[in-house]
Amino acid sequence: MTVHNNKIISFVNKLEDIFLVIILSTMILLAVFQIISRNLFSEGFVWIDPLLRMLVLWVGLAGAVVATRKDNHIRIDVVTKYFPQHYLFYIKRLVYLFTLSVCLLISWHAARFVYSEFEYGTMAFSGMPAWITGIIIPVSFTLIAFRYVLLFFAPDVHDAGSDTAG
């Protein structure tokens, strides 16, 4: 892997981290604002609660993308306990290929769904188009699939510049 490619991956990692911080900060600020306005002024903003629910989806999926950065996500490791060590390299590649396939399938169908929401002009809440709320699904699964391509072909490449996230 060249230094140039590592810089690109480091840049993408930083963008993901910034995106997560922005979403989480927005969620915290909006939730605190809503609590204060309800308790002090006996009224809140109608659009904040659905926006917070949408941001929970966004932060969860953005976090899943970041978790794949170091191949650090929820997994079932039954296979690693029962197979000899020298087979693990191939088993990992098979798992990466399967995960990549599933992510691409989800991304494809999610993109079709988001496009249909765009086409029909469906509104989610307070004039926000539904496609905007759902665009994170195909985008995040595509990014996860990209990470698994990197893991499949170059398992050490995903660590480039990933010292900022756990």
Side-chain angles (χ1 to χ4, degrees), residues 20 58-68:
L20 266 175
W58 280 57
V59 80
L61 289 172
V65 172
V66 170
T68 60

Side-chain angles (χ1 to χ4, degrees), residues 18 31 48 66 75 93-94 101 104 121 144 160 164:
I18 290 167
I48 289 180
V66 170
R75 72 177 89 231
R93 294 306 171 285
L94 187 63
S101 302
L104 287 176
I144 291 169
T164 57

Side-chain angles (χ1 to χ4, degrees), residues 65-113:
V65 172
V66 170
T68 60
R69 181 184 299 170
K70 286 187 171 184
D71 195 21
N72 189 19
H73 49 82
I74 297 172
R75 72 177 89 231
I76 301 172
D77 278 339
V78 174
V79 175
T80 60
K81 293 181 182 185
Y82 298 109
F83 278 92
Q85 192 71 23
H86 60 277
Y87 289 125
L88 293 183
F89 175 84
Y90 301 105
I91 292 169
K92 268 187 161 183
R93 294 306 171 285
L94 187 63
V95 169
Y96 292 158
L97 189 60
F98 177 75
T99 305
L100 166 66
S101 302
V102 169
C103 287
L104 287 176
L105 184 68
I106 292 170
S107 182
W108 170 255
H109 288 290
R112 291 179 55 215
F113 173 73

Side-chain angles (χ1 to χ4, degrees), residues 114-129:
V114 167
Y115 182 72
S116 73
E117 293 292 310
F118 173 77
E119 230 177 12
Y120 292 114
T122 310
M123 291 296 153
F125 59 91
S126 299
M128 178 173 284

Side-chain angles (χ1 to χ4, degrees), residues 4-162:
H4 179 67
N5 288 341
N6 284 340
K7 286 184 180 181
I8 292 170
I9 292 170
S10 294
F11 178 72
V12 170
N13 290 348
K14 291 207 184 303
L15 283 179
E16 291 170 351
D17 291 342
I18 290 167
F19 186 62
L20 266 175
V21 167
I22 289 170
I23 296 172
L24 195 55
S25 299
T26 302
M27 288 174 64
I28 292 168
L29 291 172
L30 285 173
V32 167
F33 176 77
Q34 186 77 327
I35 291 167
I36 290 171
S37 89
R38 282 184 180 165
N39 288 332
L40 293 181
F41 306 114
S42 296
E43 60 184 67
F45 289 86
V46 166
W47 54 269
I48 289 180
D49 291 333
L51 179 61
L52 285 171
R53 286 191 292 275
M54 180 198 81
L55 290 175
V56 167
L57 172 68
W58 280 57
V59 80
L61 289 172
V65 172
V66 170
T68 60
R69 181 184 299 170
K70 286 187 171 184
D71 195 21
N72 189 19
H73 49 82
I74 297 172
R75 72 177 89 231
I76 301 172
D77 278 339
V78 174
V79 175
T80 60
K81 293 181 182 185
Y82 298 109
F83 278 92
Q85 192 71 23
H86 60 277
Y87 289 125
L88 293 183
F89 175 84
Y90 301 105
I91 292 169
K92 268 187 161 183
R93 294 306 171 285
L94 187 63
V95 169
Y96 292 158
L97 189 60
F98 177 75
T99 305
L100 166 66
S101 302
V102 169
C103 287
L104 287 176
L105 184 68
I106 292 170
S107 182
W108 170 255
H109 288 290
R112 291 179 55 215
F113 173 73
V114 167
Y115 182 72
S116 73
E117 293 292 310
F118 173 77
E119 230 177 12
Y120 292 114
T122 310
M123 291 296 153
F125 59 91
S126 299
M128 178 173 284
W131 70 268
I132 290 176
T133 65
I135 195 72
I136 190 67
I137 300 168
V139 169
S140 63
F141 278 98
T142 300
L143 289 172
I144 291 169
F146 174 72
R147 292 278 186 193
Y148 276 99
V149 168
L150 292 177
L151 286 167
F152 184 83
F153 290 109
D156 296 330
V157 81
H158 63 280
D159 286 329
S162 62

